[in-house]
Amino acid sequence: MASLKLHGLPMSSCTTRVMICLHEKGVEFELVPVDLFTAQHKQPDFLSKNPFGQIPVLEDGDLTIFESRAVTEYVSKKFKDQGTDLIRQDSLEESTLVKIWAEVESQQFNPVINPIIYQFFVAPLQGKSLDQAIIDENLEKLGKVLDVYEEKLGKTKYLAGDFYSLADLHHMPYIFYFMKTPWAHVVNERPKVKAWWEDISSRDAFKKVAEGMKFGDN
Amino acid sequence: MAVMKLYGSPLSSAVWRVLASLYEKGLDFEFIPVDMKSGEHKKEPYLSLNPFGQVPAFVDGDLKLFESRAITQYISHEYADKGTPLVVPGKPMAIVSVWMEVEAHQYDPLAGKLAWELGYKPHFGMQPDHAVVEENEGKLGKVLDVYEARLSQSKYIGGDTFTLADLHHLPTLSFLMDTPAKKLIESRPKVSAWVADITSRPAWCKVVEFRKQH
């Protein structure tokens, strides 16, 4: 029986961020579904695991960890000797570059792609009409961020260097959904970014998780 | 051996975040001002230090870093044996990481917007947008309710000792304490005590002094 329990859903971006990592490390885990539609995530039992009432949450014995990027860091460190080396701790330079580009995902990329994904996929489910102004504003910002990526990926194969790492992995759920929107050209117009996405999304660990990412499919 | 260099503006809260970690660790460094008014940060040679054209940037020997929270983490791990320990060994570090992420994703987007509206805008002679202020104060209040519960169980936000998880909050917290939004903190006793504690740390007082002198 798996000792790791991941509370979340197979189509949730933040849950899949963790699942891709678990698969890259070859770590067994149990996915425990959380019923968002009956607001299970706002009930006391779940709030005792994550007081912010969000998925995912990882339970490993007596440790309860939330915030997907804290979970991926924990998994990458704990299982550093198996699977893909996602954090490059043996090299000061490489591990520092991973940290920098993971922060870039967190601080530059996530804030501008998140509103687009929300407007296109989530707002309609809540009975709201899509706010094109928000989309347009963030598409412009996303383009500028990806211009920096285009230049970086002209120098290195992946974001932190010539090695796949958490810095690349953290981007994957939102890019996957973004490529299903009418604005995928923002990625496709940038050849290095496009090639990078095609490369990382062809990884086995990602393909296993992408099967469950049915948000937006009819 | 070349001394570490911190590039940035004395007005930037992200620069203060890095300064706090340098002072906590008692490290020697050179501060190199970047003239943001003239757009120095959007041109070469600065862009080769931070391709996003933002401050801070940090150079330690051959290593060039940007993103303040990557820099503080680098400093905390590479100079672990100097000054205040800002990271902890073993399993407890997983919980520190959780609350570092909370700062970055739950707290900072809201506190940052309020700091902009209530702190920076008046400084530049602009009017705050009251709708934005009200919305973000409401949301930040809910986040601080979680902090209030957390700080009833834990002396500091990441665990029993002061760590990066607390430190990362300092720039915007101290900003907000100078604005009407301070009511959000003052109305929550545990949060209020925590803020009073961490903002009175000698290293943070040095950052405040640095801001005044530049």
Side-chain angles (χ1 to χ4, degrees), chain A residues 51-52 54 62-67 69-70 73-74 92-93 96 99-101 103-104 106-108 148, chain B residues 51-52 54 63-67 69-70 73-74 78 91 94-95 97-99 101-102 104-106 146:
Chain A
F52 293 94
Q54 293 173 343
D62 57 0
L63 261 187
T64 302
I65 305 166
F66 58 92
E67 289 296 330
R69 298 168 186 83
E73 187 186 50
Y74 172 75
L92 175 65
E93 187 179 349
T96 302
K99 281 277 178 199
I100 289 168
W101 287 90
E103 282 298 312
V104 166
S106 196
Q107 295 289 330
Q108 309 291 344
V148 178
Chain B
F52 293 91
Q54 294 174 350
L63 285 176
K64 294 184 199 173
L65 294 88
F66 60 94
E67 288 299 332
R69 296 170 185 81
Q73 286 180 70
Y74 166 79
E78 185 56 8
K91 272 190 192 177
I95 305 303
S97 293
V98 165
W99 290 90
E101 288 297 316
V102 166
H105 291 284
Q106 310 287 351
V146 176

Side-chain angles (χ1 to χ4, degrees), chain A residues 11 120-121 125 176-177 179-181 210-218:
Chain A
M11 78 290 284
F120 188 75
F121 290 101
L125 292 180
F176 177 78
Y177 284 127
M179 297 308 280
K180 291 172 181 282
T181 71
E211 278 170 19
M213 293 172 76
K214 300 270 180 255
F215 219 148
D217 288 351
N218 293 318

Side-chain angles (χ1 to χ4, degrees), chain B residues 128-160:
Chain B
D129 180 333
H130 291 290
V132 172
V133 170
E134 212 179 298
E135 185 190 343
N136 285 283
E137 281 184 345
K139 289 179 183 174
L140 184 57
K142 294 199 172 113
V143 169
L144 293 178
D145 286 340
V146 176
Y147 279 40
E148 186 71 10
R150 169 65 180 164
L151 291 163
S152 308
Q153 305 160 344
S154 180
K155 183 155 196 253
Y156 290 94
I157 204 76
D160 295 329

Side-chain angles (χ1 to χ4, degrees), chain A residues 40-95:
Chain A
Q40 185 187 352
H41 56 313
K42 304 294 176 189
Q43 302 304 317
D45 184 49
F46 189 84
L47 290 173
S48 68
K49 301 186 212 292
N50 182 347
F52 293 94
Q54 293 173 343
I55 55 174
V57 175
L58 184 78
E59 285 179 310
D60 182 10
D62 57 0
L63 261 187
T64 302
I65 305 166
F66 58 92
E67 289 296 330
S68 61
R69 298 168 186 83
V71 180
T72 57
E73 187 186 50
Y74 172 75
V75 169
S76 301
K77 276 187 189 165
K78 177 170 176 169
F79 299 99
K80 67 190 243 333
D81 295 326
Q82 68 184 72
T84 312
D85 181 0
L86 294 171
I87 53 175
R88 319 294 292 192
Q89 280 184 318
D90 291 342
S91 160
L92 175 65
E93 187 179 349
E94 289 180 0
S95 58

